Amino acid sequence: MNDVTVPDLRGKLAVVTGASNGIGLGLAQRLARAGADLILPVRDAAKGAAVLEQIMAATPQAKVSIRDLDLASLASVDGLADALQADGRPINLLINNAGVMAPATRHTTVDGYELQFGTNYLGHVALTGRLMPLLQAGQARVTTITSSAARSGRINWDDLQSERRYSPVRAYNLSKLGNLLFALELERRSAANGWGIVSNAAHPGTTLTNLYASGPNLGRSRPAPFEAIVKRLARWGVFVHSVDAGMLPPLYAATSPQARGGLLYGPDGLGQFTGGPTELAIYKSARSEADAARLWEISERLTGGAFASA
């Protein structure tokens, strides 16, 4: 496993979504060790308290704040953004990491959007947009977590919310393609408008986290097979790696002085399942700047003009 050397982050403020477990927790632990001040927005207060205890036990000098955030609620996103704006501290690093994967049946967010599109994609668009003044003040790097599933993502402009036809995997692929398109478009718009923000994307490969259980088990009376399959592959050491390994490409994208905006980072192994961090070719599905701009404009409307202050 090729480790990542994280620069000294003392005095820097980092916001990481989805840090209650998995990749997000691993990233938060490494950022704390590097001296960053952390804001960890979580949906479950009990999990947030446990994460705080875990990070402080490993890094007693860490400065960590747990905040409330449900990415499936635009009102919750607004609430967090308002609180951080009131604090007034510039944000130097934002990692859009939280997500849900492949519920068996179609679920919706508080605002009526398909759960994966609304949580993985729209929630992070809204959060990034609402935090723009603080991100600009901090000359921030924004790293948005996508997935190799974005390669198979397809945009049905007439059915973005999967109302006519729902497929767990297709909806997930779309949400992760949206994440990648957003990261690339944010970099283009920052460069064009002088926002001073660096935006890139990363994916962790196939990593053994509870993502493979929590989402697929929604709407099911019996456990989905995803988790058992991934655990078996992990035991065999085939196509699956640990959180410690999977977090390295996102960690590199978010912190390395060599990582640049407008690029995608992920594992360098066969099929991008496992491996050390490397720059990847942008997937064919995400190369259309016209699609990225169109999705951005639609997302602005769906989130109530998240980037109005940019």
Side-chain angles (χ1 to χ4, degrees):
M1 180 176 67
N2 299 320
D3 200 5
V4 170
T5 300
V6 180
D8 186 347
L9 297 178
R10 283 175 294 182
K12 304 292 186 181
L13 179 61
V15 178
V16 184
T17 68
S20 58
N21 52 57
I23 294 295
L25 175 56
L27 290 169
Q29 290 171 323
R30 289 296 300 270
L31 296 176
R33 280 166 48 189
D37 298 342
L38 294 177
I39 291 177
L40 306 180
V42 298
R43 185 167 55 90
D44 186 315
K47 288 184 178 179
V51 166
L52 178 61
E53 183 178 343
Q54 189 172 345
I55 292 175
M56 295 304 297
T59 311
Q61 72 276 18
K63 297 178 181 177
V64 187
S65 171
I66 304 296
R67 304 293 181 100
D68 293 327
L69 173 65
D70 182 357
L71 284 162
S73 165
L74 293 177
S76 178
V77 173
D78 285 344
L80 173 64
D82 288 344
L84 296 183
Q85 298 278 14
D87 291 347
R89 183 172 173 185
I91 296 171
N92 307 106
L93 175 60
L94 170 63
I95 303 181
N96 291 319
N97 164 73
V100 61
M101 186 182 77
T105 56
R106 184 179 182 274
H107 295 253
T108 57
T109 68
V110 172
D111 305 286
Y113 303 129
E114 189 278 316
L115 184 64
Q116 297 178 88
F117 186 80
T119 302
N120 302 351
Y121 173 67
L122 284 178
H124 282 122
V125 171
L127 180 63
T128 306
R130 291 283 281 108
L131 292 178
M132 276 296 291
L134 299 179
L135 295 170
Q136 288 179 265
Q139 298 288 280
R141 185 178 301 189
V142 178
T143 295
T144 299
I145 306 304
T146 181
S147 165
S148 59
R151 287 180 290 191
S152 303
R154 298 292 180 269
I155 302 176
N156 181 347
W157 298 106
D158 297 320
D159 194 25
L160 283 176
Q161 307 304 326
S162 303
E163 294 171 296
R164 299 177 185 175
R165 185 184 179 195
Y166 176 75
S167 160
V169 173
R170 276 198 299 269
Y172 180 72
N173 295 350
L174 171 61
S175 73
K176 287 302 177 177
L177 174 58
N179 287 146
L180 178 53
L181 287 169
F182 170 68
L184 300 176
E185 184 68 8
L186 178 59
E187 173 68 18
R188 284 189 287 265
R189 294 193 180 220
S190 177
N193 296 302
W195 292 343
I197 291 169
V198 173
S199 171
N200 60 23
H203 82 78
T206 306
T207 307
L208 185 58
T209 71
N210 72 350
L211 194 69
Y212 292 92
S214 58
N217 286 332
L218 279 175
R220 291 179 63 96
S221 58
R222 291 186 298 175
F226 283 90
E227 184 180 27
I229 293 170
V230 172
K231 283 184 175 179
R232 188 175 301 121
L233 291 172
R235 285 197 302 269
W236 295 341
V238 179
F239 299 137
V240 179
H241 57 186
S242 67
V243 168
D244 285 343
M247 73 175 178
L248 293 181
L251 184 65
Y252 180 87
T255 66
S256 173
Q258 283 72 49
R260 294 178 291 152
L263 297 178
L264 169 64
Y265 296 92
D268 61 5
L270 177 66
Q272 301 178 17
F273 292 107
T274 62
T278 191
E279 179 187 333
L280 303 174
I282 300 297
Y283 303 141
K284 185 178 180 181
S285 59
R287 291 178 189 169
S288 171
E289 294 187 14
D291 282 355
R294 183 179 179 183
L295 188 60
W296 179 288
E297 300 299 337
I298 290 172
S299 304
E300 273 274 76
R301 294 198 299 272
L302 295 179
T303 59
F307 281 82
S309 61

